Amino acid sequence: MYDLLIRNVRVLDGTGAPWYRADVAVENGRIVAVGPLAGCAAEQVLDGEDQYLAPGFIDIHSHSDTALPKHPLSESRILQGVTTEIGGNCGMSAAPVEERNLELLRRYMGD
């Protein structure tokens, strides 16, 4: 028995292949099966209602680190499907900051 079973979804698997209809099983927070899972049971079953299901998206160049003090749950990113971000790769970061640059950082962050 799975923890969660999402039935009746269009899967976009991230490989570039066309979407396909499937069920998705989750156990301990991880996807463990994708395909026709008609005979499977789960503690919680959701009907995907023929909507699209995709893996979390990776944003390889973000500036969300400057927004985290104001929005620590990063709701806007999660609602967009972003589950992993890479920040600071442009040479700027919210921390550490030298005292002489603090006001500049505050202006940049919109405070």
Side-chain angles (χ1 to χ4, degrees), residues 18-85:
W19 64 266
Y20 57 93
R21 283 192 171 78
D23 303 320
V24 177
V26 178
E27 195 170 307
N28 295 319
R30 299 183 77 87
I31 295 172
V32 293
V34 178
L37 305 173
C40 297
E43 291 181 30
Q44 182 180 10
V45 178
L46 299 176
D47 181 0
E49 300 177 355
D50 210 30
Q51 294 186 53
Y52 292 91
L53 186 140
F57 297 106
I58 300 170
D59 185 340
I60 62 168
H61 187 145
S62 76
H63 293 270
S64 293
D65 51 338
T66 60
L68 286 174
K70 284 181 133 180
H71 307 282
L73 298 179
S74 199
E75 297 95 329
S76 67
R77 306 300 284 157
I78 293 168
L79 290 170
Q80 294 174 59
V82 175
T83 58
T84 303
E85 287 188 294

